[in-house]
Amino acid sequence: MKKLLTIGTGFALIGLLANVNAQTSEVSPQRALLNQYCIACHNQAMVNSTPVEGENLLFTQLRGLGLTLDVENVDNVAENPEVWEKVVRKLRVGVMPPPDNPRPGHEDYTEFRVWLETQLDQVAANQINPGRTQAFHRLNQTEYRNVIRDLLHLEIDVDELIPADPPDQHGFDNNAEVLALSPVLMERYISAAHKIAELAVGAAPRGAAIKTYEVPLNLIQDDRLSDELPFGSRGGAAITHNFPVDGSYKINVKLQTNYVDFVRGYDQPHAMEISLDGQLLQVVNFGGDAPGTPAPYSYAGNIRGSDDWEEFMMAFAEEGFELELEIDAGPRIVGATFPREMWEPEGILQPRLFGYHLAVTELPDANPSVGSISIEGPLSVSGPGDTPSRQRIFSCLPQSADEEPACAREIVENLARRAYRRPVAENDVQELLGFYEQGRRQGGFDAGIQFALERVLVAPDFLFRIQEDPADPEAGDVYQISDVELASRLSFFLWSSGPDDELLELAAAGRLRDRSVLEQQVERMMADSRADAFINNFVGQWLYLRNLDNHYPLPSAFPEFDENLREAFKRETELFIEDQIRADRSLLELLRADYSYINERLADHYGIPGIYGNHFRQVSLDGAQRGGLLGHGSLMTVTSYPNRTSVVLRGKFVLENLLGSPPPEPPPNVPALEEASEDGRQLTMREAMAQHRENPACRVCHAAMDPIGFSLENYDAVGKWRNRFAGVDVDASGLLPDGAAFDGRKGLQQLLLDRPDDFVGTVTEKLLTYALGRGVEYYDMPTVRSIVREAKEEDYRWSSVILGVIESAPFQMRRTEL
């Protein structure tokens, strides 16, 4: 039956093609091109055919794609622009027609794509469709933290209060469609509001609490690790802790131990400095005084030392170093570090420990390291303190009971306006004053403000960005959003936080939409330190930097990977992007830059000589092994598996995030990649992928992914350069389906630079997705192309692209429901 169906479908296609060929001379050049190269696969008969068990996966993919190009009217793309935008996307990297099929010449191919885009843009110009964002857009975890910071001048550990929001299918965590509010999450918000309000107003805690800051075991503490620690220091940690009130606290510092709590580095005398806000509190001396006979080297916990030695070492690890002192409320930096001892190891140098060995070995003759810093308190309370949050909230301090009502009104009006991100009405104020009165009766003026603040922090106007349709709208009406809504859109795009007073005042006055005012505000906001959120959030998700924190290369395969390298990877890319944006460079500089930001740890990994110290500095690169984003270890690491590189992950990353042509999802039950031949020989990545592509359904998608991934094979799974793998020289050459050939990172870089509109257009798509909090749809693509065309006149500078997004119809307008 299956064979008969296949034969029947084939005869149907033959008949269709015969009919088409007879009509080719009577149709437009565009229809003729589709008839000759496309409709053999993308036709109504194929899409409507019945699935058959065990059929070729290629048929399943064609059916799922749903393109019926034999009946679509290419001469009038306005009839179905969604279909033709799909076609344009497929044409970007020449993935269609698939390999081994006849394809048009390069000139015809390019002309057809340009013609399609021009037609689609003309249709969009006559039918403005800004799309529809969700009416209720919940703040995600990052936005919640930032809004609290700006509203109350209070840094919170948001992970302890509310859960993180996972990214959506487009790669961002601010998509309103998936930011739901469950009853359980609402309970978390209520609990968070209570804790934040108590902390912000300086309410006395109900009892002492203990907060422990762990230092990762795999953080190598052989250099100065923080700008908050003194010059000439080695290792340790500097943590920022928010002390809730003025009072007495305990600081406890424990040293790093092995898995059974034997302190490392105790054989020799050492000193450790404990500081508060850079001021030395105490120098503690330890080491070299353990009694009795120790356990054999590296066997502590498995072979016992003498009883007195065992008891001493276990007690020392448990107790740590403890200080009790009076500390003023507010954010304070607690530091613990060691004076750097200028000595070099002697004898046979041991390889770096990793994995099991790092956890087990006690290293008694090595340098000690800080394992954790704990803060306990308050043990006693002497007052609420003069914290940044109290200064922000209490714009007035009543001197008598008669002054309290006016002062309370002033405070709640300010809080509501900033928290609700709009001018407040009298009923808003009266509601909050009701909560204030309730709290005041229970605990006085400060308690009243705390109650009002708690209510603010659970209000829908705070937790959601709310957009309202105009009164009595027609279905599908297009309208401008209000200036107040525009202010919020702008601030959450660039700051991941609410608008400040200046932005709100301009919006309330109806001046924000004025082009010169808007441009001035964008320039001001991008120069503000709060724009770091744009770099951390947009870039962190676009380039997968966030994934780096949870990526753990296999220690046995990559023993050189440690927390220092993880942080260096991340910092290099962040500093590089920050320089690009703040200096307003061309987006093409992301690819062609011959410099990066590097410290000694990263330079050692990259094989760059002459770089010393833990601080990052701009370093010129020779371009052979490093240069531009594609040479960053961060990207190479997050697009690899823990034990090996991945041609597919790297190719998919470039297609999706740099070329805007993401491959479809893989079919189900794809077999794992074979890494060895039948005789046990390790296969090169090219050999392994050649076996994988034997399935025709796999070959279509991999035809574009694999060549791109191969070009980056000189970088291993932690971004280290290699010339050989599996006993042979790395072959980093690639050939795309459209005939574009390239070799290595430099070749891929040049291929992207040769297609600037595709690269900049992809970044613009990502920016628009992030800015709107929704996925980019087919009707948004003419806007993307318009932004790119205008940015081209300014050398594709960041400011022109960002401003283009902000001034676009999807950003400033909205459509009612259809």
Side-chain angles (χ1 to χ4, degrees), residues 111-138:
E111 285 182 358
F112 180 58
R113 176 188 165 182
V114 171
W115 181 87
L116 263 184
E117 290 177 340
T118 302
Q119 295 297 307
L120 289 165
D121 292 347
Q122 289 175 356
V123 170
N126 297 323
Q127 302 172 7
I128 295 177
N129 184 357
R132 179 173 176 82
T133 51
Q134 294 292 308
F136 291 88
H137 189 160
R138 177 173 64 81

Short mmCIF file of all heavy atoms in Angstrom, two decimals, residues 111-138:
data_model
loop_
_atom_site.label_atom_id
_atom_site.label_comp_id
_atom_site.label_asym_id
_atom_site.label_seq_id
_atom_site.Cartn_x
_atom_site.Cartn_y
_atom_site.Cartn_z
N GLU A 111 18.16 38.19 -7.76
CA GLU A 111 17.13 39.08 -8.32
C GLU A 111 15.74 38.70 -7.84
O GLU A 111 14.92 39.57 -7.54
CB GLU A 111 17.19 39.05 -9.85
CG GLU A 111 18.36 39.83 -10.44
CD GLU A 111 18.36 39.80 -11.95
OE1 GLU A 111 17.44 39.14 -12.51
OE2 GLU A 111 19.25 40.42 -12.57
N PHE A 112 15.48 37.41 -7.75
CA PHE A 112 14.16 36.96 -7.30
C PHE A 112 13.93 37.35 -5.84
O PHE A 112 12.84 37.82 -5.47
CB PHE A 112 14.04 35.45 -7.47
CG PHE A 112 12.71 34.91 -7.02
CD1 PHE A 112 11.53 35.37 -7.57
CD2 PHE A 112 12.63 33.94 -6.02
CE1 PHE A 112 10.29 34.87 -7.15
CE2 PHE A 112 11.41 33.43 -5.61
CZ PHE A 112 10.24 33.90 -6.17
N ARG A 113 14.93 37.18 -5.02
CA ARG A 113 14.78 37.55 -3.61
C ARG A 113 14.56 39.06 -3.47
O ARG A 113 13.67 39.50 -2.73
CB ARG A 113 16.01 37.12 -2.80
CG ARG A 113 15.93 37.57 -1.35
CD ARG A 113 17.21 37.33 -0.59
NE ARG A 113 17.20 38.09 0.66
CZ ARG A 113 18.20 38.11 1.51
NH1 ARG A 113 19.29 37.42 1.28
NH2 ARG A 113 18.11 38.84 2.61
N VAL A 114 15.35 39.85 -4.17
CA VAL A 114 15.21 41.31 -4.10
C VAL A 114 13.83 41.73 -4.60
O VAL A 114 13.17 42.60 -4.01
CB VAL A 114 16.32 42.00 -4.91
CG1 VAL A 114 16.05 43.50 -5.02
CG2 VAL A 114 17.68 41.76 -4.26
N TRP A 115 13.38 41.09 -5.67
CA TRP A 115 12.06 41.42 -6.21
C TRP A 115 10.96 41.11 -5.19
O TRP A 115 10.06 41.93 -4.97
CB TRP A 115 11.82 40.61 -7.50
CG TRP A 115 10.49 40.90 -8.13
CD1 TRP A 115 10.20 41.89 -9.02
CD2 TRP A 115 9.27 40.17 -7.91
NE1 TRP A 115 8.87 41.83 -9.36
CE2 TRP A 115 8.26 40.79 -8.71
CE3 TRP A 115 8.93 39.07 -7.13
CZ2 TRP A 115 6.95 40.33 -8.73
CZ3 TRP A 115 7.61 38.61 -7.15
CH2 TRP A 115 6.64 39.24 -7.95
N LEU A 116 11.05 39.95 -4.56
CA LEU A 116 10.06 39.57 -3.56
C LEU A 116 10.03 40.56 -2.40
O LEU A 116 8.95 41.00 -1.96
CB LEU A 116 10.38 38.18 -3.01
CG LEU A 116 9.64 36.97 -3.60
CD1 LEU A 116 10.03 35.71 -2.85
CD2 LEU A 116 8.14 37.17 -3.57
N GLU A 117 11.21 40.92 -1.88
CA GLU A 117 11.28 41.85 -0.75
C GLU A 117 10.69 43.21 -1.13
O GLU A 117 9.98 43.83 -0.34
CB GLU A 117 12.72 42.00 -0.28
CG GLU A 117 13.28 40.75 0.40
CD GLU A 117 14.74 40.91 0.80
OE1 GLU A 117 15.42 41.79 0.23
OE2 GLU A 117 15.20 40.14 1.66
N THR A 118 10.99 43.67 -2.34
CA THR A 118 10.46 44.96 -2.80
C THR A 118 8.95 44.93 -2.87
O THR A 118 8.26 45.87 -2.44
CB THR A 118 11.06 45.32 -4.17
OG1 THR A 118 12.49 45.36 -4.07
CG2 THR A 118 10.56 46.68 -4.63
N GLN A 119 8.41 43.84 -3.41
CA GLN A 119 6.96 43.72 -3.51
C GLN A 119 6.31 43.69 -2.14
O GLN A 119 5.29 44.33 -1.88
CB GLN A 119 6.59 42.45 -4.29
CG GLN A 119 7.02 42.45 -5.76
CD GLN A 119 6.35 43.56 -6.56
OE1 GLN A 119 5.13 43.68 -6.55
NE2 GLN A 119 7.14 44.37 -7.24
N LEU A 120 6.90 42.94 -1.22
CA LEU A 120 6.36 42.82 0.13
C LEU A 120 6.42 44.16 0.87
O LEU A 120 5.50 44.52 1.61
CB LEU A 120 7.12 41.75 0.91
CG LEU A 120 6.85 40.30 0.47
CD1 LEU A 120 7.91 39.36 1.03
CD2 LEU A 120 5.45 39.86 0.92
N ASP A 121 7.50 44.90 0.66
CA ASP A 121 7.63 46.21 1.31
C ASP A 121 6.60 47.20 0.78
O ASP A 121 6.06 48.02 1.54
CB ASP A 121 9.05 46.75 1.12
CG ASP A 121 10.09 45.95 1.87
OD1 ASP A 121 9.70 45.13 2.73
OD2 ASP A 121 11.30 46.13 1.60
N GLN A 122 6.31 47.12 -0.51
CA GLN A 122 5.29 48.02 -1.08
C GLN A 122 3.91 47.69 -0.53
O GLN A 122 3.11 48.59 -0.23
CB GLN A 122 5.30 47.89 -2.60
CG GLN A 122 6.54 48.50 -3.26
CD GLN A 122 6.57 48.26 -4.75
OE1 GLN A 122 5.70 47.58 -5.32
NE2 GLN A 122 7.60 48.80 -5.42
N VAL A 123 3.63 46.41 -0.37
CA VAL A 123 2.34 46.00 0.21
C VAL A 123 2.23 46.51 1.64
O VAL A 123 1.20 47.06 2.05
CB VAL A 123 2.20 44.47 0.18
CG1 VAL A 123 0.99 44.01 0.99
CG2 VAL A 123 2.09 43.98 -1.26
N ALA A 124 3.30 46.36 2.42
CA ALA A 124 3.28 46.79 3.83
C ALA A 124 3.13 48.29 3.97
O ALA A 124 2.49 48.78 4.91
CB ALA A 124 4.56 46.32 4.53
N ALA A 125 3.70 49.05 3.02
CA ALA A 125 3.59 50.51 3.09
C ALA A 125 2.15 50.98 2.95
O ALA A 125 1.76 52.02 3.49
CB ALA A 125 4.46 51.15 2.01
N ASN A 126 1.35 50.19 2.24
CA ASN A 126 -0.06 50.56 2.04
C ASN A 126 -0.99 49.93 3.08
O ASN A 126 -2.17 50.28 3.14
CB ASN A 126 -0.51 50.12 0.64
CG ASN A 126 0.27 50.82 -0.46
OD1 ASN A 126 0.60 52.00 -0.33
ND2 ASN A 126 0.59 50.09 -1.52
N GLN A 127 -0.45 49.01 3.87
CA GLN A 127 -1.28 48.32 4.87
C GLN A 127 -0.48 48.22 6.17
O GLN A 127 0.08 47.18 6.49
CB GLN A 127 -1.68 46.92 4.38
CG GLN A 127 -2.42 46.90 3.06
CD GLN A 127 -2.62 45.49 2.54
OE1 GLN A 127 -2.32 44.50 3.20
NE2 GLN A 127 -3.15 45.38 1.33
N ILE A 128 -0.40 49.31 6.92
CA ILE A 128 0.39 49.32 8.15
C ILE A 128 -0.21 48.34 9.16
O ILE A 128 -1.40 48.41 9.48
CB ILE A 128 0.45 50.74 8.76
CG1 ILE A 128 1.19 51.68 7.82
CG2 ILE A 128 1.12 50.71 10.13
CD1 ILE A 128 1.23 53.11 8.29
N ASN A 129 0.63 47.45 9.64
CA ASN A 129 0.18 46.45 10.62
C ASN A 129 1.25 46.36 11.71
O ASN A 129 2.23 45.63 11.58
CB ASN A 129 -0.01 45.09 9.96
CG ASN A 129 -0.56 44.06 10.94
OD1 ASN A 129 -0.74 44.33 12.13
ND2 ASN A 129 -0.81 42.85 10.45
N PRO A 130 1.09 47.11 12.82
CA PRO A 130 2.10 47.08 13.87
C PRO A 130 2.03 45.86 14.77
O PRO A 130 2.87 45.68 15.66
CB PRO A 130 1.79 48.35 14.68
CG PRO A 130 0.31 48.51 14.53
CD PRO A 130 -0.02 48.03 13.14
N GLY A 131 1.04 45.01 14.55
CA GLY A 131 0.87 43.86 15.41
C GLY A 131 0.20 44.25 16.72
O GLY A 131 -0.10 45.41 16.98
N ARG A 132 -0.01 43.24 17.55
CA ARG A 132 -0.70 43.49 18.82
C ARG A 132 0.11 42.88 19.95
O ARG A 132 0.29 41.66 20.01
CB ARG A 132 -2.10 42.89 18.80
CG ARG A 132 -2.86 43.10 20.12
CD ARG A 132 -4.30 42.65 20.01
NE ARG A 132 -4.99 42.76 21.29
CZ ARG A 132 -5.51 43.88 21.77
NH1 ARG A 132 -5.42 44.99 21.06
NH2 ARG A 132 -6.12 43.90 22.95
N THR A 133 0.59 43.72 20.85
CA THR A 133 1.24 43.23 22.05
C THR A 133 0.17 42.89 23.09
O THR A 133 -0.96 43.36 23.01
CB THR A 133 2.19 44.29 22.64
OG1 THR A 133 1.48 45.53 22.77
CG2 THR A 133 3.39 44.50 21.73
N GLN A 134 0.55 42.07 24.06
CA GLN A 134 -0.39 41.65 25.09
C GLN A 134 -0.84 42.84 25.94
O GLN A 134 -0.06 43.76 26.21
CB GLN A 134 0.26 40.61 26.01
CG GLN A 134 0.57 39.29 25.32
CD GLN A 134 -0.69 38.54 24.96
OE1 GLN A 134 -1.56 38.32 25.78
NE2 GLN A 134 -0.77 38.13 23.70
N ALA A 135 -2.10 42.82 26.38
CA ALA A 135 -2.62 43.90 27.21
C ALA A 135 -1.97 43.92 28.59
O ALA A 135 -1.75 44.98 29.17
CB ALA A 135 -4.13 43.77 27.35
N PHE A 136 -1.65 42.73 29.11
CA PHE A 136 -1.00 42.62 30.41
C PHE A 136 0.36 41.95 30.22
O PHE A 136 0.43 40.80 29.80
CB PHE A 136 -1.86 41.81 31.39
CG PHE A 136 -3.12 42.51 31.80
CD1 PHE A 136 -4.28 42.38 31.06
CD2 PHE A 136 -3.14 43.30 32.94
CE1 PHE A 136 -5.44 43.03 31.43
CE2 PHE A 136 -4.29 43.96 33.32
CZ PHE A 136 -5.45 43.83 32.56
N HIS A 137 1.40 42.68 30.56
CA HIS A 137 2.77 42.21 30.35
C HIS A 137 3.45 42.18 31.72
O HIS A 137 3.89 43.20 32.24
CB HIS A 137 3.50 43.16 29.40
CG HIS A 137 4.83 42.67 28.96
ND1 HIS A 137 5.46 43.15 27.82
CD2 HIS A 137 5.69 41.77 29.48
CE1 HIS A 137 6.62 42.54 27.68
NE2 HIS A 137 6.79 41.71 28.69
N ARG A 138 3.53 40.98 32.31
CA ARG A 138 4.12 40.86 33.64
C ARG A 138 5.62 41.15 33.62
O ARG A 138 6.31 40.78 32.66
CB ARG A 138 3.88 39.46 34.21
CG ARG A 138 4.52 39.23 35.58
CD ARG A 138 4.14 37.89 36.19
NE ARG A 138 4.60 36.75 35.43
CZ ARG A 138 5.85 36.26 35.49
NH1 ARG A 138 6.77 36.86 36.24
NH2 ARG A 138 6.17 35.20 34.77
#
